[in-house]
Amino acid sequence: MSMRTGEHRHGPYLVRTHPAKGGRYRGRAMRAGVILFDATAPTEAEVVARLRALLDEREAAAGRDPENRIPMPADYAAAFRRLDAAIGPGRRRMLRALYEAPGRTLTATQLAAAAGYPNDTTANLQFGLLGQAIADDLGMILPKRPDGAPTSTASPVQGPDGQRDGDFPWTMRPQVAAAIGLLPPAFLHG
């Protein structure tokens, strides 16, 4: 029996398949290296379909729109651990300032000041780069906006819809705040 394996992306998830005994196929759905579901079916396509349905049910149970997948706190925490050295002191100071701010909300100018950046444009850019690094780490394929730019689904912050530049308020996503609570206190002080 050949051990040809397949890999299939489903949002931030990875589905791996391989032939099993009796001419069937086996598959596993995972995220950030953690196995979430296991399934067996007569064909590879059926295994993939079953696992995708289970993943969509998981997303719905977590109260997330399957088309706008926001990482879960444990996913953010795992990504922060893996990206720790790449986060850098400025981004870490922005995360700390937001985490400690009332309502976990600050303007881009306030974030720039907390990080030691020269202006709001730099703060916006740095959070965008951090969001892209998180998306890449989690294997997410970000949906595109009408202008062709990727959405900020994985970004640790939320801003006004459609606004990409300027001094507007950023609010830390609740999932990120919960993730920071899962990390050692030294994470914010790196």
Side-chain angles (χ1 to χ4, degrees):
M1 170 170 49
S2 166
M3 278 305 288
R4 185 187 67 79
T5 61
E7 289 195 356
H8 312 269
R9 285 271 171 212
H10 188 64
Y13 302 102
L14 176 65
V15 173
R16 286 196 175 136
T17 60
H18 64 86
K21 291 182 180 179
R24 296 174 63 82
Y25 276 82
R26 181 174 181 200
R28 289 185 170 159
M30 56 191 78
R31 184 169 184 177
V34 176
I35 297 170
L36 303 170
F37 299 106
D38 196 347
T40 307
T43 68
E44 183 179 26
E46 288 177 82
V47 167
V48 171
R50 284 182 188 177
L51 290 170
R52 285 181 171 166
L54 289 168
L55 292 169
D56 287 343
E57 287 175 23
R58 179 180 194 258
E59 291 289 315
R64 289 190 298 268
D65 175 353
E67 297 303 314
N68 188 25
R69 292 183 174 96
I70 305 298
M72 298 172 99
D75 298 322
Y76 272 115
F80 284 143
R81 284 185 195 101
R82 287 188 296 271
L83 297 169
D84 191 53
I87 292 173
R91 292 177 187 167
R92 202 175 301 274
R93 285 191 296 266
M94 287 196 303
L95 285 169
R96 182 173 60 238
L98 264 178
Y99 187 74
E100 294 171 351
R104 297 207 164 104
T105 300
L106 294 172
T107 67
T109 297
Q110 291 170 314
L111 288 169
Y117 294 143
N119 53 44
D120 62 319
T121 302
T122 306
N124 291 338
L125 172 66
Q126 290 303 315
F127 262 134
L129 293 171
L130 180 57
Q132 185 63 56
I134 291 167
D136 291 346
D137 179 81
L138 295 176
M140 296 178 73
I141 299 169
L142 299 178
K144 302 282 186 197
R145 294 182 181 169
D147 67 0
T151 63
S152 57
T153 301
S155 176
V157 294
Q158 308 172 127
D161 285 341
Q163 190 166 351
R164 296 180 55 202
D165 296 310
D167 187 29
F168 50 85
W170 284 112
T171 301
M172 180 175 277
R173 290 187 186 280
Q175 298 90 340
V176 172
I180 289 172
L182 298 173
L183 296 168
F187 170 76
L188 287 177
H189 303 281

